[in-house]
Amino acid sequence: EQCQNGIQEGFHKIHTILHAALLQQLKCSSVKNNILSWMAAVVSLNELRAGPKFELKKAPQLVASDGFLVNFCAVLLEFCKPFFSTHPSAPKLPLINPDYPVSPLCRLDLHNEPCLASGIILTPDRMSLSYERFLCLGGNFKFVAECFFITLRALHVGILPATETFMKGLGDIGKELDRKGGEDKILKDLYGLFLCGGSCCLLDPKLVQQCSEFYITLAVWITRLMETCYESGLPESEVHKR
């Protein structure tokens, strides 16, 4: 446990340093768009991870590793903390524009996120554009909105597949260990090492807490949107559409 805590503290320091460095750069208007474009590119160019029955070993050269994306998500969550629903600045929630996912200026490819995307995301012109499209879109939405949706998709592309890979690997080693009567020392050591490695990253209390707060914030934001629609007197069909 002491070793695990030490590793997690090291991760936290790295995340803090990266967040501080990016935050400093974001204060420069000429660099802000490039940073947001890079964040969106990391997410969109790793969409394969969120595909059905994805297994990293089948296409390791096409996507980033679990470790990279888990750390990437941890840094993104640091940017989201100021508008968590439990944060004093929660009034920033209205700055999350629900039009962003369906806008032609959205930096993300949301064709695998049908609950957020509309047909405009699937237009051939948009899908055929190269990496440059991430750079040419910007300046039309608040940072809060862009960061929120980039983080939401990053968690689906990064954390969830990483958890599935970890659980599958742990299960496979466990089954093989049971098949050999639980006496294979190499497999026992491998099982312990695999469990420790996954626990240090995916079961990091800080990461789990921030993921939980993010999804609570998402629920609060959606609830407020629904309340606003109903209060405005819109018919139920229009509320569902929005």
Side-chain angles (χ1 to χ4, degrees):
E1 183 178 350
Q2 185 177 359
C3 178
Q4 181 172 309
N5 290 337
I7 293 173
Q8 289 173 345
E9 288 177 7
F11 284 147
H12 298 164
K13 289 179 181 178
I14 293 172
H15 298 156
T16 300
I17 292 172
L18 289 172
H19 170 254
L22 288 172
L23 188 61
Q24 186 64 33
Q25 293 295 315
L26 283 166
K27 293 178 181 178
C28 178
S29 57
S30 62
V31 179
K32 180 179 178 181
N33 185 54
N34 288 341
I35 292 177
L36 283 169
S37 297
W38 175 77
M39 291 177 175
V42 169
V43 175
S44 292
L45 296 177
N46 281 283
E47 284 289 334
L48 179 61
R49 291 173 54 87
K53 298 181 181 179
F54 172 78
E55 293 184 35
L56 187 60
K57 63 181 180 180
K58 289 184 179 179
Q61 74 280 9
L62 299 179
V63 295
S65 67
D66 286 336
F68 172 83
L69 284 165
V70 169
N71 286 305
F72 177 71
C73 288
V75 175
L76 287 180
L77 287 167
E78 288 291 326
F79 283 107
C80 294
K81 283 169 61 176
F83 51 88
F84 281 163
S85 60
T86 55
H87 193 277
S89 65
K92 286 187 175 182
L93 281 179
L95 297 178
I96 302 174
N97 190 335
D99 293 331
Y100 180 74
V102 296
S103 168
L105 297 176
C106 175
R107 299 177 196 265
L108 300 169
D109 281 336
L110 294 172
H111 52 285
N112 287 326
E113 190 82 68
C115 61
L116 292 178
S118 73
I120 195 168
I121 305 299
L122 296 173
T123 57
D125 290 341
R126 178 177 174 81
M127 295 302 295
S128 64
L129 291 177
S130 66
Y131 170 74
E132 293 179 356
R133 76 174 182 79
F134 298 109
L135 299 176
C136 65
L137 305 176
N140 297 281
F141 291 92
K142 298 288 186 182
F143 173 78
V144 171
E146 294 219 51
C147 185
F148 178 82
F149 286 108
I150 289 173
T151 303
L152 175 62
R153 190 56 187 157
L155 292 176
H156 294 180
V157 169
I159 298 288
L160 296 183
T163 302
E164 292 173 4
T165 301
F166 169 65
M167 296 303 295
K168 184 179 184 303
L170 196 65
D172 289 345
I173 298 173
K175 289 177 182 178
E176 185 64 19
L177 186 60
D178 290 341
R179 192 179 68 82
K180 295 190 176 183
E183 300 299 327
D184 190 304
K185 185 179 184 307
I186 294 178
L187 281 177
K188 288 174 70 175
D189 290 344
L190 179 61
Y191 185 88
L193 183 63
F194 198 85
L195 179 62
C196 179
S199 299
C200 284
C201 297
L202 297 171
L203 298 181
D204 175 9
K206 182 180 179 181
L207 179 64
V208 172
Q209 179 183 352
Q210 290 187 344
C211 285
S212 299
E213 290 188 4
F214 181 87
Y215 283 113
I216 290 172
T217 300
L218 173 63
V220 171
W221 176 70
I222 292 176
T223 301
R224 290 186 181 181
L225 281 181
M226 295 292 291
E227 290 174 348
T228 300
C229 289
Y230 281 116
E231 288 171 0
S232 62
L234 293 172
E236 189 168 340
S237 59
E238 185 64 22
V239 172
H240 289 170
K241 180 180 177 182
R242 293 198 175 192

